[in-house]
Amino acid sequence: MSSSSQRVLAVVRRQILNGERVPGEKITEVGIAAEMDVSRTPTRTALATLAAEGLIEKRSGRGFTVRSISSSDVEKSIAVRAALEALAARTMAENGMPKSAEDALLKSIAFTERVLDADEPDPDYMDGYQEANILFHETIMYQCGNDLIAHAYERIAMLPLAALGSLAFDRTNPRRELKRLTVGHSQHIIIFDAIKKRDAARAEAMMREHSHATLNYADLFVKRIYETSSADRLEAAANE
């Protein structure tokens, strides 16, 4: 998938999950392409992926409509993916990291570090970040040393937010998203360090935590920190 397709996918996915696009709403290739300022080709790819994930469905005519997805469905998908990713990280730590995997993980970490070190957040940094994020997660899943883990993952890969490296991105507030994604980058460094040192328990625990970030960290960092005023925080602290 091209970087433009990945960006469209991440943004529209986030809009659906946070209710900006309501169930039954019509989505068209032309409309999304114009909104995201991209060509129709990457838009078509992104919409096909969203349909495969079950977030939208094809209309009898042209376009798609947003499906009604319960938070329970999303949470279940992420829980299963997190368990498999945690097992993959533990297995790679126990087996030892292949040179090809080490090179790929270091490449991913270096790329996201360059993206996040930019002086000013740019909404387009999402393109590069998502590519590197997918590389990190796919490397651990498919090079962990146990093909049955990847086989089990592929059975649930197209459920909502089950795709490796899935991101839900709020393009309207890149500075806030930069802070949130910086946490994910830091966790990648910790996971890599644990696998490199063959600390299986630490690698497993951190990957399990990290795999829940797409859903949980959006609430934690957006609602509880950045959308809470300074006065509210001071009042809450005084009442504790």
Side-chain angles (χ1 to χ4, degrees):
M1 186 181 293
S2 70
S3 60
S4 294
S5 295
Q6 291 168 359
R7 174 161 53 89
V8 173
L9 175 61
V11 172
V12 179
R13 182 190 281 134
R14 173 65 174 271
Q15 292 172 340
I16 293 171
L17 292 174
N18 69 12
E20 291 179 45
R21 297 188 184 274
V22 298
E25 179 181 340
K26 183 178 179 181
I27 292 179
T28 65
E29 184 181 306
V30 173
I32 295 296
E35 181 181 330
M36 303 292 175
D37 193 25
V38 297
S39 70
R40 292 177 62 177
T41 299
T43 301
R44 187 179 306 118
T45 302
L47 292 180
T49 301
L50 289 169
E53 290 181 357
L55 295 178
I56 61 176
E57 59 186 353
K58 193 76 174 66
R59 293 167 57 89
S60 57
R62 292 185 176 181
F64 299 82
T65 54
V66 177
R67 292 187 61 191
S68 178
I69 304 295
S70 71
S71 59
S72 175
D73 290 338
V74 174
E75 289 170 1
K76 289 175 183 176
S77 297
I78 291 177
V80 176
R81 187 194 71 187
L84 291 172
E85 287 205 274
L87 179 58
R90 180 183 185 91
T91 302
M92 182 178 281
E94 290 173 339
N95 292 337
M97 190 187 305
K99 181 64 165 59
S100 59
E102 181 174 358
D103 291 344
L105 294 177
L106 287 173
K107 178 182 178 181
S108 169
I109 290 170
F111 197 99
T112 53
E113 186 168 350
R114 289 197 301 271
V115 171
L116 297 175
D117 278 348
D119 292 334
E120 288 295 329
D122 181 345
D124 289 334
Y125 69 62
M126 190 60 211
D127 296 359
Y129 190 101
Q130 175 126 319
E131 286 182 29
N133 194 51
I134 291 171
L135 174 63
F136 186 90
H137 287 266
E138 287 188 346
T139 297
I140 293 176
M141 177 61 70
Y142 291 104
Q143 296 193 47
C144 69
N146 184 339
D147 293 340
L148 290 179
I149 299 174
H151 178 71
Y153 162 72
E154 288 171 359
R155 298 291 298 273
I156 58 100
M158 301 313 291
L159 295 175
L161 283 189
L164 294 172
S166 292
L167 291 174
F169 182 66
D170 182 0
R171 190 176 172 81
T172 65
N173 198 331
R175 186 173 293 280
R176 183 184 64 200
E177 292 297 89
L178 185 67
K179 293 178 182 296
R180 183 169 65 91
L181 296 178
T182 298
V183 175
H185 166 74
S186 300
Q187 289 177 329
H188 281 189
I189 294 174
I190 295 170
I191 292 167
F192 174 83
D193 180 68
I195 295 174
K196 180 73 173 177
K197 292 178 178 176
R198 306 192 71 165
D199 187 340
R202 182 167 167 244
E204 179 181 22
M206 180 52 69
M207 180 60 91
R208 188 182 300 275
E209 167 70 20
H210 177 66
S211 294
H212 284 88
T214 300
L215 193 63
N216 294 350
Y217 287 14
D219 290 337
L220 178 64
F221 283 83
V222 176
K223 294 180 181 178
R224 297 185 184 177
I225 298 178
Y226 297 109
E227 292 182 359
T228 301
S229 69
S230 297
D232 290 342
R233 289 198 295 271
L234 290 173
E235 182 180 354
N239 291 333
E240 288 182 352

